[in-house]
Amino acid sequence: MSPFQEWRANGHGVYTELADEREFFQATKKSNKIVCHFFRVTTPRCQIVDKHLEILAAQHLETRFIKINVERSPFLAERLHIVVLPTIAMVVDDKVGDYIVGFDDLGGTDNFSTAMMEWRLAHGKAIFYSGDLSMPPDMPKIAKSILGSGKSSKNLRSKKDESDGSESD
């Protein structure tokens, strides 16, 4: 059986919801790479994550994409320290290697792209990625000016203000 056939047989290529913790542990035994979205039905941002992971699941057969409801999996959520929703755990070789907690790692906005999610999952070694890992895809080229251009900082006062500030009269 080819790797692609094996991956398909183990649920790769589709984004699926697991019923309980038992299914999570079974999935980790069958797949070397797993992206697991911990969600709650009443959390709107979890639906945003679902949209992106569904697209990526079809593109990255090497990884199994799953989601699990934290309300039905309290033991697992506690064991993996899931507090903020949405949280995405990246499991590689039976170990949780990285997390995406909320949207901060995705640009801090609800309107991040699927490419941004893909880039971040690649940083966690959960997927194969052919792009440039040194620069997020949603980050504009002018990001250096926002994040710091390396110029030295200046005083807020000009030289004139400094001389006026010393009232020796």
Side-chain angles (χ1 to χ4, degrees):
M1 183 183 286
S2 76
F4 291 106
Q5 291 171 327
E6 187 177 335
W7 289 334
R8 289 260 188 222
N10 289 333
H12 292 230
V14 291
Y15 181 49
T16 54
E17 181 175 347
L18 303 182
D20 56 26
E21 296 155 337
R22 181 182 52 80
E23 285 188 17
F24 174 84
F25 290 112
Q26 288 174 346
T28 60
K29 289 177 186 174
K30 292 180 181 179
S31 300
N32 291 336
K33 293 183 177 193
I34 292 181
V35 170
C36 183
H37 172 208
F38 289 87
F39 78 100
R40 183 179 300 129
V41 176
T42 57
T43 306
R45 286 189 166 158
C46 290
Q47 295 169 3
I48 296 169
V49 170
D50 285 342
K51 177 185 76 168
H52 295 290
L53 293 183
E54 193 167 332
I55 293 166
L56 291 172
Q59 295 174 353
H60 291 277
L61 291 178
E62 75 278 7
T63 302
R64 177 133 187 234
F65 287 78
I66 58 178
K67 67 180 186 173
I68 191 162
N69 190 328
V70 293
E71 293 174 341
R72 285 191 256 142
S73 307
F75 169 78
L76 187 60
E78 183 178 330
R79 184 169 178 181
L80 297 179
H81 308 289
I82 307 298
V83 179
V84 175
L85 296 179
T87 292
I88 300 168
M90 292 167 256
V91 183
V92 179
D93 295 327
D94 267 344
K95 293 182 180 131
V96 178
D98 200 0
Y99 293 95
I100 300 174
V101 180
F103 287 175
D104 288 347
D105 288 354
L106 302 168
T109 177
D110 291 1
N111 297 323
F112 62 90
S113 68
T114 302
M116 186 68 164
M117 173 73 79
E118 181 179 36
W119 177 84
R120 182 57 185 85
L121 292 173
H123 263 276
K125 298 179 177 40
I127 60 171
F128 298 133
Y129 186 69
S130 59
D132 180 9
L133 281 174
S134 67
M135 178 66 92
D138 288 357
M139 185 75 68
K141 298 290 182 194
I142 58 168
K144 284 188 176 183
S145 67
I146 296 169
L147 299 174
S149 61
K151 294 180 182 176
S152 62
S153 60
K154 294 182 179 181
N155 280 338
L156 294 175
R157 294 190 215 189
S158 68
K159 288 194 179 261
K160 183 180 179 191
D161 289 335
E162 288 176 4
S163 63
D164 288 350
S166 58
E167 295 181 26
S168 56
D169 292 1

